[in-house]
Amino acid sequence: SQKIEQNSEALNIQEGKTATLTCNYTNYSPAYLQWYRQDPGRGPVFLLLIRENEKEKRKERLKVTFDTTLKQSLFHITASQPADSATYLCALEVGNEKLTFGTGTRLTIIP
Amino acid sequence: KAGVTQTPRYLIKTRGQQVTLSCSPISGHRSVSWYQQTPGQGLQFLFEYFSETQRNKGNFPGRFSGRQFSNSRSEMNVSTLELGDSALYLCASSWGGSGAGETQYFGPGTRLLVL
């Protein structure tokens, strides 16, 4: 069956360090992979999209990598801040299928 | 541009009742998708509507239904509510919808509690 795993349910990182979140998938050949941020009681907010033919994408302190051989995406937040504390979701899009979300990683940046 | 709005924000119902939730997408967006979010299952896709037609459907029972109007506003209905239907229901809009590599813009959600 198709599966998306975000390997840490919760991750605690010291302020100023780089937070790295992992998204692994099986049985997909996604055309796109997206990362979203969700704060408690709110809907997810789009952060970055990376295409299957792209290896890396950056936006300010955020970086996403996409390895279609390993079937893995890494999401990095550099110089992390307490305001980065949230749940981060990866989502895959395959052809004209629905966007499928992982279960999320709850990131806490410790001052 | 106004964001995605959902009404009501909070709802308490009892088992066996039915409920209708509403979603107004961002102006110009033609696709509306609905998701159910629970602590145990995460974000699960319910269905997507594009130009008033259901384009994709998730693995939910027939008690869950939806529709989209000509102005792209969408409603979802859950009949014969069960305790397990307690969740945050999120809608998301985009211009082209699934398969287009587009950003999904989410609303704040409707928190449904079934007693």
Side-chain angles (χ1 to χ4, degrees), chain B residues 2-62:
Chain B
V4 178
T5 58
Q6 291 186 246
T7 55
R9 292 293 312 279
Y10 304 94
L11 208 47
I12 300 175
K13 292 285 188 179
T14 55
R15 276 181 300 174
Q17 288 187 307
Q18 68 95 26
V19 67
T20 299
L21 311 181
S22 180
C23 172
S24 292
I26 290 173
S27 177
H29 284 188
R30 296 179 296 168
S31 168
V32 173
S33 296
W34 287 90
Y35 296 84
Q36 181 196 67
Q37 188 173 36
T38 58
Q41 298 296 319
L43 256 174
Q44 292 195 288
F45 174 80
L46 282 156
F47 27 66
E48 180 201 2
Y49 285 87
F50 183 86
S51 293
E52 301 179 67
T53 300
Q54 188 179 87
R55 191 155 73 171
N56 276 309
K57 190 176 188 307
N59 295 325
F60 279 82

Side-chain angles (χ1 to χ4, degrees), chain A residues 16-63:
Chain A
K17 302 289 186 185
T18 296
T20 299
L21 285 63
T22 305
C23 177
N24 293 295
Y25 57 94
T26 58
N27 299 334
Y28 282 107
S29 293
Y32 308 98
L33 189 146
Q34 303 186 23
W35 283 89
Y36 287 77
R37 168 186 172 138
Q38 187 174 22
D39 291 284
R42 294 176 174 247
V45 174
F46 171 79
L47 295 173
L48 281 167
L49 178 149
I50 188 164
R51 291 175 169 76
E52 60 179 335
N53 60 351
E54 296 177 316
K55 297 289 185 190
E56 184 179 296
K57 206 83 170 276
R58 290 175 185 260
K59 179 183 174 183
E60 297 172 353
R61 295 184 295 110
L62 308 180
K63 184 177 87 171

